[in-house]
Amino acid sequence: MPTQNVIKMPAIPPIIVPPMQEEQLDAKERATLVARIKRLIAEQNAVLIAHYYTSADLQDLAESTGGCVSDSLEMARFGHAHPAQTLIVAGVRFMGETAKILNPEKRVLMPDLNAHCSLDLACPADTFNDFCDQHPDRVVVVYSNTSAAVKARADWVVTSGIAVKIVRHLHSLGKKILWAPDQHLGEYVRDITGADMLIWQGICVVHEAFQAAELAQMKLAYPEAAVLVHPESPAGVVALADVVGSTTQIIRAAQELPNQTFIVATDNGIFHKMHAAAPGKTLIEAPTMGFGAGCSSCAHCPWMAMNGLRNLARVLETGDNEIRIEEGIRRRAVLSIARMMNFAAQP
Ligand code: 13P
Ligand code: SF4
């Protein structure tokens, strides 16, 4: 009997999901905070860069002050190209770190430095380094949702918007890949490209909660709806999608497809921008475990929800929560991010 090489995957540390603590503001406090933040942004030559999963207040503020609301790839591009000396990143920790890696001369602030990501937490740098050492024949490709130290070990960083293209390119060169940390995105990319990929076992707690069986039922109830799915979702959910893509690609699909109704499997923070981009269309949340009966996130990221107007105003006033990255790590991490950005810039 031929013996098979069984690869032992590293154990994932237990992920502690924080309770949802979305900021509650009355109209008066909101207006006062918005005015204060606008003044501070102007005084400090700062720019606000927000992810689509942050609150509507933060997204509106970013846009009305000349900043941007976008997916993680565009957040990195925008912060790099913008002349402001202070970047305020409303999102999760890896997004602030990416901004700092690309812009060491700038001050990068975040409303809450505890805004992590279950994928980042699932991939500790020391365990990851050991695993890479065991597979020196593989090109190391990591998702952007990782720490600076993990990016420093990688050959390539990818975001969900460009992962398929980059892996397809590497596969065409005959490369074997070590992929981390998102298992579902890794399997999706492997299925599409046919690349030889060794896949880390991390998951996004938000997208993991989407349920394929309930989604199939929902499709029957809304036969005219197109299903838009972020590829961090489980394979059964991805299989039911009409469009699989990054947050920006999902918004674009709602704008461009002729359907009037969409079932959306990603964080529901995206609905703010989707409604603005596709006015008049009906957007329905894809089902999570029993409609709130036990999901740990219920289609909203508890770490993204840590960003609010109060802590944003505070960091602008105090200068607290500055992202700092050890220079040796930064110099290595910038190479793998720059490789992705140069690839993305190609026609
Ligand atoms: P995007 O790059 O599609 O914005 O995704 C980031 C993310 O964290 C999704 O959960
Ligand atoms: Fe991470 Fe998931 Fe939150 Fe995105 S939604 S930041 S992948 S935990």
Side-chain angles (χ1 to χ4, degrees), residues 247-288:
T247 45
T248 297
Q249 290 160 344
I250 286 175
I251 293 170
R252 200 174 301 138
Q255 257 176 327
E256 291 176 359
L257 290 181
N259 307 60
Q260 271 306 305
T261 307
F262 294 91
I263 302 173
V264 184
T266 195
D267 185 294
N268 56 25
I270 202 171
F271 282 27
H272 182 59
K273 197 74 182 158
M274 278 180 97
H275 278 299
K281 296 204 176 177
T282 304
L283 309 176
I284 304 170
E285 270 182 40
T288 48

mmCIF file of all heavy atoms in Angstrom, residues 247-288:
data_model
loop_
_atom_site.group_PDB
_atom_site.id
_atom_site.type_symbol
_atom_site.label_atom_id
_atom_site.label_comp_id
_atom_site.label_asym_id
_atom_site.label_seq_id
_atom_site.Cartn_x
_atom_site.Cartn_y
_atom_site.Cartn_z
ATOM 1 N N THR A 247 -16.090 43.375 -0.584
ATOM 2 C CA THR A 247 -17.169 44.297 -0.239
ATOM 3 C C THR A 247 -17.442 45.277 -1.392
ATOM 4 O O THR A 247 -18.598 45.516 -1.734
ATOM 5 C CB THR A 247 -16.813 45.058 1.057
ATOM 6 O OG1 THR A 247 -15.456 45.498 0.992
ATOM 7 C CG2 THR A 247 -16.979 44.172 2.264
ATOM 8 N N THR A 248 -16.401 45.789 -2.007
ATOM 9 C CA THR A 248 -16.603 46.712 -3.129
ATOM 10 C C THR A 248 -17.283 46.001 -4.288
ATOM 11 O O THR A 248 -18.200 46.561 -4.934
ATOM 12 C CB THR A 248 -15.249 47.292 -3.605
ATOM 13 O OG1 THR A 248 -14.700 48.057 -2.531
ATOM 14 C CG2 THR A 248 -15.402 48.180 -4.826
ATOM 15 N N GLN A 249 -16.862 44.785 -4.570
ATOM 16 C CA GLN A 249 -17.472 44.036 -5.679
ATOM 17 C C GLN A 249 -18.940 43.732 -5.394
ATOM 18 O O GLN A 249 -19.775 43.720 -6.308
ATOM 19 C CB GLN A 249 -16.658 42.755 -5.943
ATOM 20 C CG GLN A 249 -15.289 43.066 -6.542
ATOM 21 C CD GLN A 249 -14.265 41.940 -6.383
ATOM 22 O OE1 GLN A 249 -14.428 41.024 -5.579
ATOM 23 N NE2 GLN A 249 -13.190 42.022 -7.152
ATOM 24 N N ILE A 250 -19.289 43.523 -4.137
ATOM 25 C CA ILE A 250 -20.695 43.271 -3.760
ATOM 26 C C ILE A 250 -21.541 44.531 -3.993
ATOM 27 O O ILE A 250 -22.640 44.470 -4.558
ATOM 28 C CB ILE A 250 -20.767 42.792 -2.285
ATOM 29 C CG1 ILE A 250 -20.269 41.339 -2.194
ATOM 30 C CG2 ILE A 250 -22.174 42.937 -1.715
ATOM 31 C CD1 ILE A 250 -20.188 40.788 -0.789
ATOM 32 N N ILE A 251 -21.008 45.676 -3.592
ATOM 33 C CA ILE A 251 -21.750 46.933 -3.802
ATOM 34 C C ILE A 251 -21.928 47.182 -5.300
ATOM 35 O O ILE A 251 -23.014 47.548 -5.768
ATOM 36 C CB ILE A 251 -21.022 48.110 -3.122
ATOM 37 C CG1 ILE A 251 -21.067 47.937 -1.604
ATOM 38 C CG2 ILE A 251 -21.652 49.448 -3.528
ATOM 39 C CD1 ILE A 251 -20.180 48.887 -0.827
ATOM 40 N N ARG A 252 -20.865 46.959 -6.063
ATOM 41 C CA ARG A 252 -20.950 47.181 -7.511
ATOM 42 C C ARG A 252 -21.995 46.262 -8.143
ATOM 43 O O ARG A 252 -22.756 46.661 -9.016
ATOM 44 C CB ARG A 252 -19.568 46.946 -8.137
ATOM 45 C CG ARG A 252 -19.429 47.608 -9.491
ATOM 46 C CD ARG A 252 -18.014 47.494 -10.033
ATOM 47 N NE ARG A 252 -17.026 48.086 -9.154
ATOM 48 C CZ ARG A 252 -15.839 47.532 -8.888
ATOM 49 N NH1 ARG A 252 -15.498 46.381 -9.405
ATOM 50 N NH2 ARG A 252 -14.987 48.147 -8.101
ATOM 51 N N ALA A 253 -22.068 45.034 -7.669
ATOM 52 C CA ALA A 253 -23.037 44.087 -8.231
ATOM 53 C C ALA A 253 -24.460 44.580 -7.989
ATOM 54 O O ALA A 253 -25.323 44.487 -8.874
ATOM 55 C CB ALA A 253 -22.832 42.703 -7.626
ATOM 56 N N ALA A 254 -24.721 45.135 -6.792
ATOM 57 C CA ALA A 254 -26.071 45.647 -6.500
ATOM 58 C C ALA A 254 -26.413 46.815 -7.421
ATOM 59 O O ALA A 254 -27.570 47.001 -7.810
ATOM 60 C CB ALA A 254 -26.161 46.079 -5.042
ATOM 61 N N GLN A 255 -25.392 47.578 -7.768
ATOM 62 C CA GLN A 255 -25.603 48.718 -8.682
ATOM 63 C C GLN A 255 -25.850 48.253 -10.099
ATOM 64 O O GLN A 255 -26.715 48.768 -10.801
ATOM 65 C CB GLN A 255 -24.312 49.552 -8.722
ATOM 66 C CG GLN A 255 -24.327 50.806 -7.937
ATOM 67 C CD GLN A 255 -22.950 51.473 -7.998
ATOM 68 O OE1 GLN A 255 -21.910 50.820 -8.064
ATOM 69 N NE2 GLN A 255 -22.970 52.777 -7.967
ATOM 70 N N GLU A 256 -25.061 47.265 -10.540
ATOM 71 C CA GLU A 256 -25.021 46.947 -11.973
ATOM 72 C C GLU A 256 -25.993 45.857 -12.413
ATOM 73 O O GLU A 256 -26.444 45.862 -13.553
ATOM 74 C CB GLU A 256 -23.585 46.542 -12.354
ATOM 75 C CG GLU A 256 -22.647 47.750 -12.281
ATOM 76 C CD GLU A 256 -21.193 47.406 -12.549
ATOM 77 O OE1 GLU A 256 -20.888 46.215 -12.778
ATOM 78 O OE2 GLU A 256 -20.373 48.339 -12.501
ATOM 79 N N LEU A 257 -26.305 44.907 -11.523
ATOM 80 C CA LEU A 257 -27.208 43.829 -11.947
ATOM 81 C C LEU A 257 -28.624 44.378 -12.103
ATOM 82 O O LEU A 257 -29.031 45.296 -11.380
ATOM 83 C CB LEU A 257 -27.193 42.687 -10.921
ATOM 84 C CG LEU A 257 -25.896 41.863 -10.844
ATOM 85 C CD1 LEU A 257 -26.024 40.758 -9.802
ATOM 86 C CD2 LEU A 257 -25.544 41.257 -12.190
ATOM 87 N N PRO A 258 -29.405 43.808 -13.018
ATOM 88 C CA PRO A 258 -30.763 44.326 -13.241
ATOM 89 C C PRO A 258 -31.745 43.937 -12.130
ATOM 90 O O PRO A 258 -32.836 44.526 -12.054
ATOM 91 C CB PRO A 258 -31.166 43.653 -14.567
ATOM 92 C CG PRO A 258 -30.310 42.430 -14.668
ATOM 93 C CD PRO A 258 -29.031 42.738 -13.954
ATOM 94 N N ASN A 259 -31.384 43.002 -11.253
ATOM 95 C CA ASN A 259 -32.325 42.542 -10.215
ATOM 96 C C ASN A 259 -32.764 43.703 -9.323
ATOM 97 O O ASN A 259 -31.988 44.615 -9.050
ATOM 98 C CB ASN A 259 -31.666 41.482 -9.318
ATOM 99 C CG ASN A 259 -31.081 40.348 -10.121
ATOM 100 O OD1 ASN A 259 -30.205 40.558 -10.952
ATOM 101 N ND2 ASN A 259 -31.571 39.156 -9.899
ATOM 102 N N GLN A 260 -33.972 43.599 -8.794
ATOM 103 C CA GLN A 260 -34.486 44.615 -7.870
ATOM 104 C C GLN A 260 -34.202 44.219 -6.422
ATOM 105 O O GLN A 260 -34.234 45.048 -5.518
ATOM 106 C CB GLN A 260 -36.004 44.763 -8.063
ATOM 107 C CG GLN A 260 -36.385 45.794 -9.112
ATOM 108 C CD GLN A 260 -35.755 47.165 -8.853
ATOM 109 O OE1 GLN A 260 -35.901 47.742 -7.781
ATOM 110 N NE2 GLN A 260 -35.006 47.663 -9.842
ATOM 111 N N THR A 261 -33.951 42.916 -6.199
ATOM 112 C CA THR A 261 -33.797 42.414 -4.829
ATOM 113 C C THR A 261 -32.472 41.655 -4.729
ATOM 114 O O THR A 261 -32.091 40.931 -5.656
ATOM 115 C CB THR A 261 -34.974 41.461 -4.492
ATOM 116 O OG1 THR A 261 -36.189 42.156 -4.781
ATOM 117 C CG2 THR A 261 -34.963 41.043 -3.043
ATOM 118 N N PHE A 262 -31.804 41.820 -3.585
ATOM 119 C CA PHE A 262 -30.535 41.127 -3.353
ATOM 120 C C PHE A 262 -30.534 40.514 -1.959
ATOM 121 O O PHE A 262 -30.963 41.149 -0.993
ATOM 122 C CB PHE A 262 -29.361 42.112 -3.468
ATOM 123 C CG PHE A 262 -29.201 42.655 -4.856
ATOM 124 C CD1 PHE A 262 -29.842 43.823 -5.229
ATOM 125 C CD2 PHE A 262 -28.453 41.971 -5.797
ATOM 126 C CE1 PHE A 262 -29.741 44.311 -6.523
ATOM 127 C CE2 PHE A 262 -28.340 42.451 -7.093
ATOM 128 C CZ PHE A 262 -28.985 43.628 -7.466
ATOM 129 N N ILE A 263 -30.029 39.289 -1.893
ATOM 130 C CA ILE A 263 -29.778 38.660 -0.592
ATOM 131 C C ILE A 263 -28.268 38.759 -0.382
ATOM 132 O O ILE A 263 -27.487 38.353 -1.260
ATOM 133 C CB ILE A 263 -30.231 37.189 -0.584
ATOM 134 C CG1 ILE A 263 -31.726 37.106 -0.916
ATOM 135 C CG2 ILE A 263 -29.933 36.545 0.769
ATOM 136 C CD1 ILE A 263 -32.242 35.673 -1.098
ATOM 137 N N VAL A 264 -27.867 39.325 0.758
ATOM 138 C CA VAL A 264 -26.466 39.713 0.925
ATOM 139 C C VAL A 264 -25.842 38.960 2.098
ATOM 140 O O VAL A 264 -26.282 39.092 3.241
ATOM 141 C CB VAL A 264 -26.363 41.237 1.172
ATOM 142 C CG1 VAL A 264 -24.901 41.660 1.250
ATOM 143 C CG2 VAL A 264 -27.085 42.005 0.064
ATOM 144 N N ALA A 265 -24.784 38.183 1.799
ATOM 145 C CA ALA A 265 -24.078 37.444 2.853
ATOM 146 C C ALA A 265 -22.746 38.123 3.130
ATOM 147 O O ALA A 265 -21.695 37.730 2.625
ATOM 148 C CB ALA A 265 -23.873 35.980 2.437
ATOM 149 N N THR A 266 -22.828 39.185 3.904
ATOM 150 C CA THR A 266 -21.635 39.824 4.477
ATOM 151 C C THR A 266 -22.116 40.703 5.615
ATOM 152 O O THR A 266 -23.318 40.769 5.906
ATOM 153 C CB THR A 266 -20.829 40.606 3.412
ATOM 154 O OG1 THR A 266 -19.532 40.892 3.966
ATOM 155 C CG2 THR A 266 -21.474 41.915 2.998
ATOM 156 N N ASP A 267 -21.186 41.353 6.302
ATOM 157 C CA ASP A 267 -21.541 42.205 7.446
ATOM 158 C C ASP A 267 -22.583 43.249 7.020
ATOM 159 O O ASP A 267 -22.448 43.896 5.968
ATOM 160 C CB ASP A 267 -20.267 42.906 7.935
ATOM 161 C CG ASP A 267 -20.472 43.727 9.185
ATOM 162 O OD1 ASP A 267 -21.213 44.740 9.129
ATOM 163 O OD2 ASP A 267 -19.896 43.361 10.224
ATOM 164 N N ASN A 268 -23.607 43.415 7.859
ATOM 165 C CA ASN A 268 -24.714 44.295 7.447
ATOM 166 C C ASN A 268 -24.361 45.786 7.492
ATOM 167 O O ASN A 268 -25.148 46.613 7.047
ATOM 168 C CB ASN A 268 -25.993 43.990 8.233
ATOM 169 C CG ASN A 268 -25.782 44.090 9.731
ATOM 170 O OD1 ASN A 268 -24.890 44.797 10.190
ATOM 171 N ND2 ASN A 268 -26.594 43.378 10.501
ATOM 172 N N GLY A 269 -23.173 46.134 7.977
ATOM 173 C CA GLY A 269 -22.710 47.525 7.894
ATOM 174 C C GLY A 269 -22.634 47.990 6.450
ATOM 175 O O GLY A 269 -22.744 49.186 6.160
ATOM 176 N N ILE A 270 -22.478 47.047 5.538
ATOM 177 C CA ILE A 270 -22.347 47.379 4.116
ATOM 178 C C ILE A 270 -23.650 47.958 3.547
ATOM 179 O O ILE A 270 -23.634 48.614 2.498
ATOM 180 C CB ILE A 270 -21.916 46.117 3.325
ATOM 181 C CG1 ILE A 270 -21.252 46.525 1.994
ATOM 182 C CG2 ILE A 270 -23.077 45.181 3.072
ATOM 183 C CD1 ILE A 270 -20.616 45.349 1.254
ATOM 184 N N PHE A 271 -24.767 47.713 4.217
ATOM 185 C CA PHE A 271 -26.055 48.142 3.665
ATOM 186 C C PHE A 271 -26.149 49.664 3.528
ATOM 187 O O PHE A 271 -26.843 50.175 2.662
ATOM 188 C CB PHE A 271 -27.219 47.618 4.523
ATOM 189 C CG PHE A 271 -27.527 46.161 4.281
ATOM 190 C CD1 PHE A 271 -26.557 45.280 3.830
ATOM 191 C CD2 PHE A 271 -28.797 45.667 4.503
ATOM 192 C CE1 PHE A 271 -26.833 43.946 3.604
ATOM 193 C CE2 PHE A 271 -29.099 44.320 4.284
ATOM 194 C CZ PHE A 271 -28.110 43.464 3.833
ATOM 195 N N HIS A 272 -25.445 50.378 4.405
ATOM 196 C CA HIS A 272 -25.498 51.849 4.342
ATOM 197 C C HIS A 272 -25.031 52.317 2.964
ATOM 198 O O HIS A 272 -25.705 53.087 2.289
ATOM 199 C CB HIS A 272 -24.606 52.427 5.450
ATOM 200 C CG HIS A 272 -24.623 53.914 5.518
ATOM 201 N ND1 HIS A 272 -25.776 54.646 5.719
ATOM 202 C CD2 HIS A 272 -23.636 54.846 5.383
ATOM 203 C CE1 HIS A 272 -25.501 55.933 5.718
ATOM 204 N NE2 HIS A 272 -24.199 56.083 5.508
ATOM 205 N N LYS A 273 -23.902 51.818 2.540
ATOM 206 C CA LYS A 273 -23.338 52.221 1.245
ATOM 207 C C LYS A 273 -24.120 51.590 0.086
ATOM 208 O O LYS A 273 -24.303 52.210 -0.962
ATOM 209 C CB LYS A 273 -21.879 51.758 1.214
ATOM 210 C CG LYS A 273 -21.054 52.411 0.177
ATOM 211 C CD LYS A 273 -20.709 53.839 0.540
ATOM 212 C CE LYS A 273 -19.912 54.445 -0.590
ATOM 213 N NZ LYS A 273 -19.981 55.872 -0.588
ATOM 214 N N MET A 274 -24.590 50.369 0.290
ATOM 215 C CA MET A 274 -25.336 49.701 -0.791
ATOM 216 C C MET A 274 -26.638 50.432 -1.088
ATOM 217 O O MET A 274 -27.022 50.591 -2.243
ATOM 218 C CB MET A 274 -25.653 48.251 -0.424
ATOM 219 C CG MET A 274 -24.503 47.307 -0.670
ATOM 220 S SD MET A 274 -24.955 45.636 -0.201
ATOM 221 C CE MET A 274 -25.426 44.963 -1.760
ATOM 222 N N HIS A 275 -27.317 50.883 -0.036
ATOM 223 C CA HIS A 275 -28.571 51.617 -0.258
ATOM 224 C C HIS A 275 -28.302 52.903 -1.032
ATOM 225 O O HIS A 275 -29.073 53.274 -1.916
ATOM 226 C CB HIS A 275 -29.252 51.946 1.073
ATOM 227 C CG HIS A 275 -30.045 50.794 1.625
ATOM 228 N ND1 HIS A 275 -31.111 50.242 0.945
ATOM 229 C CD2 HIS A 275 -29.932 50.084 2.772
ATOM 230 C CE1 HIS A 275 -31.623 49.238 1.655
ATOM 231 N NE2 HIS A 275 -30.914 49.114 2.765
ATOM 232 N N ALA A 276 -27.182 53.566 -0.696
ATOM 233 C CA ALA A 276 -26.848 54.811 -1.401
ATOM 234 C C ALA A 276 -26.448 54.518 -2.848
ATOM 235 O O ALA A 276 -26.795 55.278 -3.755
ATOM 236 C CB ALA A 276 -25.712 55.521 -0.670
ATOM 237 N N ALA A 277 -25.746 53.410 -3.063
ATOM 238 C CA ALA A 277 -25.247 53.093 -4.406
ATOM 239 C C ALA A 277 -26.355 52.539 -5.304
ATOM 240 O O ALA A 277 -26.308 52.709 -6.520
ATOM 241 C CB ALA A 277 -24.104 52.084 -4.307
ATOM 242 N N ALA A 278 -27.329 51.861 -4.696
ATOM 243 C CA ALA A 278 -28.389 51.226 -5.489
ATOM 244 C C ALA A 278 -29.747 51.615 -4.908
ATOM 245 O O ALA A 278 -30.477 50.777 -4.365
ATOM 246 C CB ALA A 278 -28.200 49.709 -5.472
ATOM 247 N N PRO A 279 -30.103 52.920 -5.002
ATOM 248 C CA PRO A 279 -31.339 53.386 -4.360
ATOM 249 C C PRO A 279 -32.565 52.696 -4.961
ATOM 250 O O PRO A 279 -32.592 52.414 -6.151
ATOM 251 C CB PRO A 279 -31.356 54.896 -4.657
ATOM 252 C CG PRO A 279 -30.366 55.111 -5.763
ATOM 253 C CD PRO A 279 -29.398 53.971 -5.746
ATOM 254 N N GLY A 280 -33.500 52.394 -4.092
ATOM 255 C CA GLY A 280 -34.741 51.787 -4.579
ATOM 256 C C GLY A 280 -34.682 50.263 -4.634
ATOM 257 O O GLY A 280 -35.711 49.610 -4.783
ATOM 258 N N LYS A 281 -33.480 49.701 -4.517
ATOM 259 C CA LYS A 281 -33.405 48.233 -4.561
ATOM 260 C C LYS A 281 -33.622 47.666 -3.151
ATOM 261 O O LYS A 281 -33.334 48.322 -2.149
ATOM 262 C CB LYS A 281 -32.053 47.803 -5.132
ATOM 263 C CG LYS A 281 -31.889 48.267 -6.589
ATOM 264 C CD LYS A 281 -30.909 47.437 -7.369
ATOM 265 C CE LYS A 281 -30.882 47.887 -8.829
ATOM 266 N NZ LYS A 281 -29.904 47.183 -9.649
ATOM 267 N N THR A 282 -34.110 46.440 -3.100
ATOM 268 C CA THR A 282 -34.398 45.814 -1.807
ATOM 269 C C THR A 282 -33.220 44.929 -1.409
ATOM 270 O O THR A 282 -32.798 44.065 -2.190
ATOM 271 C CB THR A 282 -35.682 44.959 -1.916
ATOM 272 O OG1 THR A 282 -36.728 45.801 -2.394
ATOM 273 C CG2 THR A 282 -36.065 44.342 -0.586
ATOM 274 N N LEU A 283 -32.706 45.153 -0.208
ATOM 275 C CA LEU A 283 -31.548 44.393 0.278
ATOM 276 C C LEU A 283 -31.967 43.570 1.487
ATOM 277 O O LEU A 283 -32.534 44.102 2.443
ATOM 278 C CB LEU A 283 -30.423 45.353 0.669
ATOM 279 C CG LEU A 283 -30.030 46.400 -0.386
ATOM 280 C CD1 LEU A 283 -28.964 47.339 0.168
ATOM 281 C CD2 LEU A 283 -29.519 45.706 -1.652
ATOM 282 N N ILE A 284 -31.682 42.280 1.428
ATOM 283 C CA ILE A 284 -32.094 41.383 2.514
ATOM 284 C C ILE A 284 -30.848 40.712 3.071
ATOM 285 O O ILE A 284 -29.980 40.253 2.311
ATOM 286 C CB ILE A 284 -33.049 40.297 1.975
ATOM 287 C CG1 ILE A 284 -34.242 40.950 1.277
ATOM 288 C CG2 ILE A 284 -33.507 39.361 3.082
ATOM 289 C CD1 ILE A 284 -35.101 39.950 0.501
ATOM 290 N N GLU A 285 -30.759 40.638 4.407
ATOM 291 C CA GLU A 285 -29.622 39.945 5.034
ATOM 292 C C GLU A 285 -29.739 38.448 4.819
ATOM 293 O O GLU A 285 -30.821 37.879 5.057
ATOM 294 C CB GLU A 285 -29.642 40.165 6.541
ATOM 295 C CG GLU A 285 -28.888 41.363 6.987
ATOM 296 C CD GLU A 285 -28.910 41.498 8.506
ATOM 297 O OE1 GLU A 285 -28.795 40.491 9.217
ATOM 298 O OE2 GLU A 285 -29.068 42.642 8.962
ATOM 299 N N ALA A 286 -28.682 37.806 4.404
ATOM 300 C CA ALA A 286 -28.679 36.341 4.334
ATOM 301 C C ALA A 286 -28.820 35.795 5.754
ATOM 302 O O ALA A 286 -28.355 36.421 6.713
ATOM 303 C CB ALA A 286 -27.382 35.857 3.708
ATOM 304 N N PRO A 287 -29.454 34.631 5.910
ATOM 305 C CA PRO A 287 -29.706 34.133 7.267
ATOM 306 C C PRO A 287 -28.444 33.657 7.984
ATOM 307 O O PRO A 287 -27.596 33.006 7.399
ATOM 308 C CB PRO A 287 -30.662 32.961 7.038
ATOM 309 C CG PRO A 287 -30.555 32.613 5.597
ATOM 310 C CD PRO A 287 -30.076 33.812 4.861
ATOM 311 N N THR A 288 -28.343 34.053 9.264
ATOM 312 C CA THR A 288 -27.333 33.500 10.156
ATOM 313 C C THR A 288 -28.050 32.486 11.029
ATOM 314 O O THR A 288 -29.260 32.328 10.918
ATOM 315 C CB THR A 288 -26.691 34.613 11.003
ATOM 316 O OG1 THR A 288 -27.729 35.412 11.557
ATOM 317 C CG2 THR A 288 -25.794 35.494 10.154
#
